[in-house]
Amino acid sequence: QVQLVESGGGLVQAGGSLRLSCAASGSRFSIYTMGWYRQAPGKQRELVAVITNTGSTNYADSMKGRFTISRDNAKNTVYLQMNSLKPEDTAVYYCNAWDSKGDYWGKGTPVTVSS
């Protein structure tokens, strides 16, 4: 089964930056799409950004201009550069990936942005 492992979360002050990484392993098929979702306490999981194997990206409106998603296809790794972080960005950030057999989720990495 495909396994996704996130890293890079932590505690930062408002206005700071973090870079999240997610490495996928165990897939015998091409991973078409990788992305990031987040879930704040008491709220539903929401899309942050996704990127296809061809490099096409999509961002949630609230993240546009602040977050940048990228990937290294050779490493099956996706990154999320987060700048100008706000307290509202505090959440657990989850990595997601799709291949021809289904979708997979990481266990999440927490991000806390203090005032």
Side-chain angles (χ1 to χ4, degrees), residues 15-37:
S17 299
L18 283 175
R19 187 180 188 235
L20 307 183
S21 299
C22 172
S25 62
S27 177
R28 299 187 64 182
F29 307 93
S30 297
I31 296 177
Y32 300 121
T33 303
M34 300 186 75
W36 292 94
Y37 293 72

Side-chain angles (χ1 to χ4, degrees), residues 5 14 17 22-24 27 32 36 42-43 45-46 71 74 79-80 87 93 101 104 109-110 112:
V5 180
S17 299
C22 172
S27 177
Y32 300 121
W36 292 94
K43 297 184 178 180
R45 190 172 299 184
E46 64 175 343
R71 69 186 289 177
Y79 307 92
L80 184 69
Y93 285 71
K101 296 297 183 180
Y104 312 93
T109 184
T112 301

Side-chain angles (χ1 to χ4, degrees), residues 9-18 20 37-41 43 46-48 60-67 80-94 109-115:
L11 173 65
V12 298
Q13 291 185 333
S17 299
L18 283 175
L20 307 183
Y37 293 72
R38 70 185 186 185
Q39 187 168 20
K43 297 184 178 180
E46 64 175 343
L47 170 72
V48 176
D61 288 341
S62 62
M63 285 68 138
K64 289 181 179 178
R66 298 190 299 121
F67 293 3
L80 184 69
Q81 179 67 46
M82 304 187 293
N83 299 324
S84 301
L85 284 163
K86 306 174 182 179
E88 305 92 269
D89 296 318
T90 296
V92 177
Y93 285 71
Y94 295 91
T109 184
V111 172
T112 301
V113 184
S114 62
S115 300

